[in-house]
């Protein structure tokens, strides 16, 4: 089968690799019908996570083509979406529907330990836990977003303690940031949105946010002005770089919450703990508890209360993965998120 592989910064290839086997009696193999390039994948591509070579991709939907003898919920031929983060499904941690709490350790597809989803086939462990049948009324784009980006945006907003009527600042308006904007709005917040790319600010504004058309160093003054000098009740950092973390801590009000879902590099971040303690700042960092968010997000999507349209801007054949990565890595206004299809 084919699998997209990053072998060095900026080096993408589509390799021929052996077809995956079942991971065990509880596993399944899914034929991938659509996958996507995530901002997290760019950390391998950009060299922030220099773990090479690595078969990448953790967002996928497709059809089950093989199941182990212990799989009870799925059969060959079912169309499913795959959780980007996998748990064992049998421990106390997984019982919370957050695979990060798995006592055996959560595993992310396409990061070295599990296969990459940007491929023809994907072996999924603990299939009864890590798969979800694509419900009626949920299109392929929405289903792909439910594998990671939308769940991450929802987790960013809920873990930010968003309260209706309060002001939330979202830093970074890539796919996750756009999802966080829409989720915070769905929770009733007044959302301020910042990204240095004007077109991405325009997309957030179209979704109902107030864009901040300022230079990066002017974001904090703009937030203070918009909040009467108090600062945002919560800041969602969908970038995770030192500069955005600095901005988040400066823009959040005392007793506020900073919710980080952006992926930092391997270098430590110098956290000013004294001022954080003095100001009673709550800091939360997370990947998405994808399995838990399915039950929370599906009604919002099917009822039309959460719009998932427009996040995907480009579609490429799997064989053109290098072109897709270059387009997404440009972080332009026109290419927000790319889908890869067989």
């Amino acid at each position: 089968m084919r699998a997209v592989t990053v072998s060095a910064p900026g080096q993408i290839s589509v390799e021929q690799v052996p077809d995956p086997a079942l991971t065990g009696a509880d596993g399944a193999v899914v034929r991938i019908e659509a996958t996507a390039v995530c901002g997290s994948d760019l950390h391998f591509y950009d060299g922030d996570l220099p773990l090479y070579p690595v078969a990448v991709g953790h967002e996928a939907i497709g059809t089950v083509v093989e199941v182990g003898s212990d799989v009870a919920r799925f059969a060959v031929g079912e169309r499913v979406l795959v959780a980007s983060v996998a748990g064992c499904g049998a421990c106390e941690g997984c019982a919370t529907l957050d695979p990060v709490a798995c006592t055996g350790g959560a595993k992310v597809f396409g990061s070295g330990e599990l296969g990459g989803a940007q491929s023809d086939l994907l072996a999924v462990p603990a299939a009864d836990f890590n798969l979800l049948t694509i419900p009626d009324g949920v299109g392929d784009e929405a289903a792909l977003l439910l594998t990671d980006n939308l769940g991450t945006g929802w987790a960013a907003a809920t873990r930010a303690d968003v309260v209706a009527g309060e002001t939330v600042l979202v830093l970074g308006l890539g796919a996750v940031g756009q999802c966080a904007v829409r989720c915070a709005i769905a929770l009733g917040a007044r959302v301020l949105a910042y990204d240095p790319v004007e077109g991405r600010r325009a997309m957030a504004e179209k979704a109902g946010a107030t864009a901040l058309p300022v230079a990066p160093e002017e974001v904090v003054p703009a937030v203070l002005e918009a909040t009467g000098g108090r600062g945002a009740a919560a800041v969602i950092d969908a970038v995770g770089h030192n500069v955005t973390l600095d901005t988040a801590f400066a823009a959040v009000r005392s007793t506020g919450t900073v919710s980080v879902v952006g992926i930092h590099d391997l270098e430590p971040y110098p956290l000013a703990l004294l001022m954080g303690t003095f100001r009673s700042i709550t800091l939360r960092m997370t990947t998405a508890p994808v399995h838990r968010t399915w039950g929370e997000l599906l009604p919002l999507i099917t009822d039309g209360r959460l719009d998932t349209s427009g996040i995907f801007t480009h579609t490429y054949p799997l064989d053109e993965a290098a072109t897709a990565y270059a387009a997404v890595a440009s972080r332009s206004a026109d290419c927000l998120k790319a889908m890869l299809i067989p």
Side-chain angles (χ1 to χ4, degrees):
M1 72 166 189
R2 298 169 297 168
V4 177
T5 301
V6 184
S7 55
Q11 297 297 309
I12 294 283
S13 59
V14 181
E15 305 286 341
Q16 287 291 329
V17 301
D19 289 354
L22 288 173
T23 58
D26 66 350
V29 176
V30 176
R31 182 174 301 281
I32 304 303
E33 296 171 356
T35 180
V37 179
C38 178
S40 299
D41 297 324
L42 294 183
H43 290 286
F44 297 108
Y45 183 78
D46 292 337
D48 296 333
L49 300 176
L51 310 172
Y52 308 118
V54 58
V56 286
H58 53 266
E59 302 173 345
I61 61 173
T63 298
V64 176
V65 295
E66 187 178 2
V67 295
S69 58
D70 290 347
V71 175
R73 294 181 55 219
F74 300 94
V76 170
E78 287 191 61
R79 293 192 75 238
V80 295
L81 58 90
V82 184
S84 58
V85 183
C88 74
C91 68
E92 292 181 359
C94 288
T96 69
L97 298 182
D98 185 353
V100 171
C102 180
T103 57
K107 299 175 178 64
V108 182
F109 288 98
S111 60
E113 192 166 1
L114 296 177
Q118 293 167 15
S119 58
D120 290 316
L121 297 166
L122 183 66
V124 181
D128 283 340
F129 182 63
N130 295 314
L131 297 178
L132 179 71
T133 299
I134 298 176
D136 293 338
V138 176
D140 286 358
E141 291 189 4
L144 264 179
L145 290 174
L146 282 167
T147 67
D148 179 6
N149 286 179
L150 191 60
T152 302
W154 182 254
T158 55
R159 287 174 63 84
D161 299 324
V162 169
V163 175
E166 293 281 16
T167 299
V168 175
L169 169 66
V170 178
L171 297 171
L173 301 174
V176 169
Q178 299 288 347
C179 288
V181 164
R182 298 181 189 194
C183 290
I185 290 172
L187 291 169
R190 172 203 181 199
V191 177
L192 305 177
Y194 180 73
D195 192 288
V197 179
E198 190 279 331
R200 295 187 171 196
R201 296 196 302 268
M203 179 180 289
E205 200 153 42
K206 184 178 180 181
T210 298
L212 300 179
V214 297
E217 64 274 12
E218 297 171 340
V219 172
V220 173
V223 172
L224 293 175
E225 181 178 356
T227 58
R230 193 177 183 196
V235 179
I236 295 171
D237 183 358
V239 182
H241 291 175
N242 283 15
V243 65
T244 55
L245 289 164
D246 288 345
T247 299
F249 283 112
V252 73
R253 74 186 187 195
S254 294
T255 72
T257 301
V258 173
S259 176
V260 181
V261 290
I263 303 298
H264 199 267
D265 59 26
L266 297 178
E267 297 299 319
Y269 172 69
L271 179 61
L273 282 174
L274 176 61
M275 288 307 297
T277 302
F278 182 74
R279 297 176 61 215
S280 295
I281 302 301
T282 297
L283 171 63
R284 291 199 175 104
M285 300 172 286
T286 190
T287 59
V290 177
H291 308 67
R292 183 185 303 162
T293 65
W294 287 340
E296 296 168 338
L297 288 170
L298 280 171
L300 298 178
I301 294 171
T302 56
D303 292 349
R305 288 177 286 164
L306 187 58
D307 179 22
T308 60
S309 65
I311 302 293
F312 282 96
T313 55
H314 289 66
T315 301
Y316 296 90
L318 187 69
D319 286 334
E320 296 180 16
T323 302
Y325 267 79
V328 177
S330 70
R331 296 171 173 85
S332 64
D334 65 318
C335 186
L336 184 71
K337 189 168 181 66
M339 183 185 300
L340 299 173
I341 57 175

